[in-house]
Amino acid sequence: MGRTPCCDSKGIKKGPWAQDEDKLLLEYVQANGPGNWRMLPKLAGLNRCGKSCRLRWTNYLRPDIKRGPFAPEEHNSILQLHAIVGNKWSMIAAQLPGRTDNEIKNYWNTHMKKQLRQDAQQQQHAGGGEDAAHAQAQAASCPAARHMAQWDTARLEAEARLSLLSSTATTTVTSATDSSSSTALPPDHAAPDIFLRLWNSEVGESFRGSAQQGPAAAAAASVPAPPGGCGGDDSSAASTNDGADDYQAFLDQAVEEFALMHGRLGAFSVFTPADVLAEASCLFSPFE
DNA sequence: AATCAACCCAACCGCATTTTG
DNA sequence: ACAAAATGCGGTTGGGTTGAT
């Protein structure tokens, strides 16, 4: 006994949108604004369900949608954001003006997953050894371990940036590294660098402690092995559960920070200016 | 030229969350 | 406070396109 689906009416068209349908939808939304998707098809003269109309508008017809290939900055942003919030595509999309969650999701699934796999393989060849191969196979077969690998990348980049900023002794770092209040507003003149703030907070420190035994160990310690899944017959999983708590606490705080900051400031850039990123990439560029 | 496989992306589906009466 | 409706979100699928054989 659930709700009846919105699209179960007979005769409702599905599949690709025709040009005239796009035109009808576009004209209606431009005249009346988005919203009331339930009634919109009838009012606009469309033989579609409201859900389909909303999707078509948000993913394709919206005038502020940016089309074309993703820029390197966008690529890096997606990479870093995904390391923090995971598959929260709408959250990631909120930080990339003009990109839809669907587009980012597709981009991640088709381009970036593949690239991460290739990078991992390259590292395996460079590193060599059976242990590396084993860890790689584990990472490839276990989503949680993959996520940890992504997290490790973001962590390294944050460290590189921290090193950079501390060496240039900018005043923004002083406020950014003030861990006494993780929810304090950043100074108006500085971009809020959540990576740095989280990294220097207590949960960040706690997580660093658990991850210091290396990425593979951190992955094993942080993520309980699924039944019959990666991590094998890990009987020590229970004894290392602190890592999972730290990791979860870190992620939870990251999500809270995003939500809080986004609520206060609207759309904003999480990341430092492009020149700083460029410098950082000289120190450490994991995805090139 | 024909066939097949891989890739890409728009659209759908179902669940979760929020809003409304 | 509750139930139903509306909306949002993430996972998945299907069909078109492109490249290899």
Side-chain angles (χ1 to χ4, degrees):
Chain A
M1 278 296 282
R3 279 178 46 209
T4 57
C6 74
C7 304
D8 64 347
S9 314
K10 288 174 184 170
I12 293 291
K13 189 181 173 190
K14 291 184 179 182
W17 281 64
Q19 275 190 348
D20 56 331
E21 288 180 308
D22 279 345
K23 190 162 172 281
L24 281 172
L25 179 57
L26 194 59
E27 283 173 355
Y28 181 85
V29 174
Q30 279 174 345
N32 303 282
N36 195 9
W37 296 109
R38 184 84 169 179
M39 294 302 296
L40 186 147
K42 197 174 288 181
L43 297 172
L46 284 160
N47 188 27
R48 294 269 183 176
C49 78
K51 202 171 180 175
S52 179
C53 295
R54 181 177 58 80
L55 226 53
R56 184 64 178 172
W57 170 256
T58 55
N59 287 338
Y60 194 82
L61 293 175
R62 240 173 48 202
D64 58 327
I65 285 181
K66 190 196 289 184
R67 304 217 154 265
F70 281 73
E73 305 85 60
E74 292 177 308
H75 179 97
N76 289 332
S77 294
I78 294 169
L79 201 58
Q80 292 168 319
L81 286 162
H82 188 273
I84 292 183
V85 302
N87 295 3
K88 300 288 177 191
W89 306 117
S90 60
M91 230 167 171
I92 296 173
Q95 310 306 322
L96 295 171
R99 299 295 188 183
T100 68
D101 54 356
N102 205 35
E103 197 177 9
I104 292 169
K105 180 173 58 183
N106 282 334
Y107 183 66
W108 176 269
N109 286 331
T110 56
H111 294 86
M112 298 180 79
K113 259 187 184 174
K114 188 174 66 180
Q115 187 190 343
L116 285 170
R117 271 199 298 272
Q118 286 171 349
D119 288 340
Q121 280 169 359
Q122 282 171 5
Q123 282 173 18
Q124 177 187 330
H125 288 135
E130 283 183 18
D131 288 345
H134 176 70
Q136 204 52 67
Q138 247 189 353
S141 64
C142 175
R146 277 203 302 275
H147 194 125
M148 287 307 301
Q150 291 156 18
W151 155 252
D152 209 49
T153 299
R155 175 181 62 76
L156 287 167
E157 182 156 342
E159 281 182 336
R161 195 184 306 155
L162 178 62
S163 155
L164 242 180
L165 291 178
S166 62
S167 69
T168 52
T170 56
T171 54
T172 57
V173 174
T174 311
S175 59
T177 55
D178 181 7
S179 61
S180 59
S181 170
S182 64
T183 56
L185 269 176
D188 289 340
H189 60 280
D193 195 323
I194 288 171
F195 266 110
L196 285 175
R197 291 168 58 204
L198 284 176
W199 194 247
N200 287 285
S201 70
E202 286 180 14
V203 288
E205 190 176 350
S206 171
F207 181 73
R208 286 201 299 280
S210 72
Q212 238 158 14
Q213 298 156 20
S222 303
V223 183
C230 62
D233 57 341
D234 199 354
S235 58
S236 65
S239 64
T240 56
N241 202 37
D242 283 353
D245 292 342
D246 294 335
Y247 179 53
Q248 192 55 52
F250 193 92
L251 290 182
D252 287 347
Q253 186 167 342
V255 170
E256 278 176 27
E257 290 263 345
F258 270 105
L260 191 66
M261 297 305 296
H262 196 265
R264 280 180 177 152
L265 303 175
F268 73 101
S269 171
V270 181
F271 303 102
T272 50
D275 54 342
V276 176
L277 264 182
E279 279 189 71
S281 69
C282 295
L283 292 174
F284 180 75
S285 53
F287 292 98
E288 283 175 7

